[in-house]
Amino acid sequence: MQASAYRPPVAEFGRYFAVSLIALATDVGVLMVAAWFVHYLWAATLGFVVGAAVSYYLATRWAFAQRRFARRPRTEFIAYVLIGAIGLGLNNLVIFLMVDFLGVALLIGKAAAAVATFVFNYAARKFALFRT
């Protein structure tokens, strides 16, 4: 499942989108189960972290053809996590605002957060990690 040397940007974006959908399904599944046991923001954090791990694995193995730090996986992973931490902050902020201030259901808040974090994460990761 290793990426090839070149992939057209549209194909790469499509693969990243597919990776993001798989990670989102994982994230939402963990969120919904964890929300039965802990506060919804803790559940959102746990879901996001598990989804991010799935995303990292699939993005580096399948979605992106060019990896700036492929020979330095520790650096790559730390950068991926730092971008993910900013994404997590954005995720939880959007969910909090949607649920506590707008009074919408948790899943609707998560949907809005997913859109915001997808755009941020793709742009940041593409620019910082997955280009030459």
Side-chain angles (χ1 to χ4, degrees):
M1 203 157 62
Q2 185 64 14
S4 64
Y6 174 77
R7 186 169 296 115
V10 171
E12 195 170 75
F13 180 83
R15 284 180 178 227
Y16 185 76
F17 187 76
V19 163
S20 294
L21 288 177
I22 294 167
L24 178 61
T26 304
D27 178 347
V28 170
V30 171
L31 165 66
M32 296 313 295
V33 171
W36 283 87
F37 302 100
V38 297
H39 188 272
Y40 75 89
L41 288 176
W42 284 112
T45 300
L46 180 60
F48 192 91
V49 168
V50 174
V54 169
S55 173
Y56 176 75
Y57 179 80
L58 293 175
T60 58
R61 304 287 184 293
W62 184 67
F64 290 107
Q66 303 293 324
R67 293 174 59 195
R68 264 184 156 174
F69 302 105
R71 293 184 181 194
R72 292 183 283 161
R74 181 178 293 166
T75 300
E76 179 182 66
F77 182 73
I78 289 169
Y80 201 93
V81 167
L82 289 175
I83 292 168
I86 295 167
L88 172 60
L90 178 61
N91 177 74
N92 284 3
L93 176 63
V94 171
I95 291 173
F96 173 72
L97 292 174
M98 297 288 289
V99 171
D100 281 11
F101 286 99
L102 297 179
V104 302
L106 179 56
L107 279 179
I108 294 171
K110 178 58 186 176
V115 171
T117 56
F118 172 80
V119 170
F120 170 77
N121 284 338
Y122 178 78
R125 288 173 175 155
K126 178 64 177 167
F127 176 78
L129 297 174
F130 300 115
R131 69 181 176 93
T132 57

